[in-house]
Amino acid sequence: MTRARDQKLTQGDAEIDVRPLIIDAMPSLRAFARSLTNDRDRADDLVQETVVKALSNLDRFKAGTNIRAWLFTILRNHFFSELRKKRREIADVDGKHAAQLTTRPTQLEKVEFADFRKALVKLSTEQREALILVGPAGFSYEEAAGICCCAVGTIKSRVNRARTRLAELLEGEIARDKSGKAEVA
């Protein structure tokens, strides 16, 4: 059997409309679902999910097999999948567990990073280059000196001056934010 348009299967030369077959199986599916869930509404939802899955995966139905058995298998598998999901869920009526799962807001980090970028741009090109090579890029002082075509002592000096100036600029930003007054140049 292969899938054709409008929920029809073809078996050899014959075309079979699966909708009546599914509709015929629905009372049995509903009874089975109710026996699994002990809840009428949940059983109806389970049958609906089964029908939707069956129609969307009709191409997986194998020729010569029992469509009712296939529908019952879909229903059962879906029921147990949901049951496994529910076991991993935690009942949190009073919200204590959810309160422990909160995360800090990221706005402060974004503002701090923006301040850092502004301060970094205010460094001289040589200091900024040396600081980035030795810091985030992860090069050793010797490797950075080779890249910049200068002595190792020069790189160490530039990095030290860059760190000191960056700290001054960032402290000025913090002081300015607290007082709301002048900016450090």
Side-chain angles (χ1 to χ4, degrees):
M1 289 187 188
T2 59
R3 183 173 183 203
R5 293 185 177 201
D6 301 321
Q7 291 82 35
K8 294 186 181 186
L9 295 174
T10 55
Q11 184 176 20
D13 293 334
E15 190 172 277
I16 303 167
D17 187 6
V18 295
R19 287 177 293 190
L21 299 173
I22 292 173
I23 290 170
D24 289 344
M26 285 184 71
S28 300
L29 288 170
R30 187 170 287 119
F32 183 56
R34 285 193 65 187
S35 72
L36 292 173
T37 63
N38 292 323
D39 178 6
R40 177 181 292 170
D41 294 330
R42 181 64 205 111
D44 288 341
D45 290 342
L46 194 56
V47 170
Q48 181 179 355
E49 286 294 322
T50 300
V51 171
V52 168
K53 283 186 175 193
L55 291 175
S56 64
N57 292 299
L58 200 54
D59 56 332
R60 293 184 177 180
F61 182 71
K62 293 185 176 138
T65 59
N66 185 342
I67 194 162
R68 285 175 45 93
W70 185 62
L71 292 168
F72 274 77
T73 303
I74 293 170
L75 187 140
R76 182 184 175 280
N77 290 345
H78 186 69
F79 171 75
F80 284 115
S81 292
E82 285 187 348
L83 195 62
R84 281 190 298 274
K85 282 182 195 176
K86 282 187 179 182
R87 284 186 188 150
R88 290 188 297 258
E89 292 176 1
I90 297 171
D92 190 21
V93 178
D94 55 0
K96 286 182 183 178
H97 186 69
Q100 294 173 349
L101 298 176
T102 59
T103 57
R104 286 185 21 173
T106 59
Q107 296 93 336
L108 184 59
E109 285 86 5
K110 289 180 182 178
V111 170
E112 289 173 348
F113 187 67
D115 290 345
F116 174 78
R117 288 180 53 193
K118 287 177 191 173
L120 189 64
V121 170
K122 292 179 182 179
L123 297 176
S124 71
T125 305
E126 293 83 15
Q127 289 176 353
R128 186 172 52 248
E129 176 185 44
L131 185 65
I132 290 173
L133 287 173
V134 172
F139 289 105
S140 67
Y141 287 113
E142 293 77 16
E143 292 169 326
I147 292 169
C148 295
C149 300
C150 63
V152 173
T154 304
I155 289 294
K156 288 181 178 180
S157 176
R158 287 178 184 172
V159 168
N160 184 40
R161 280 186 261 135
R163 287 178 178 156
T164 302
R165 180 68 178 140
L166 200 55
E168 290 171 358
L169 291 169
L170 290 173
E171 286 175 13
E173 286 289 327
I174 293 169
R176 183 180 58 84
D177 287 345
K178 288 182 180 176
S179 67
K181 295 185 182 174
E183 181 180 331
V184 174

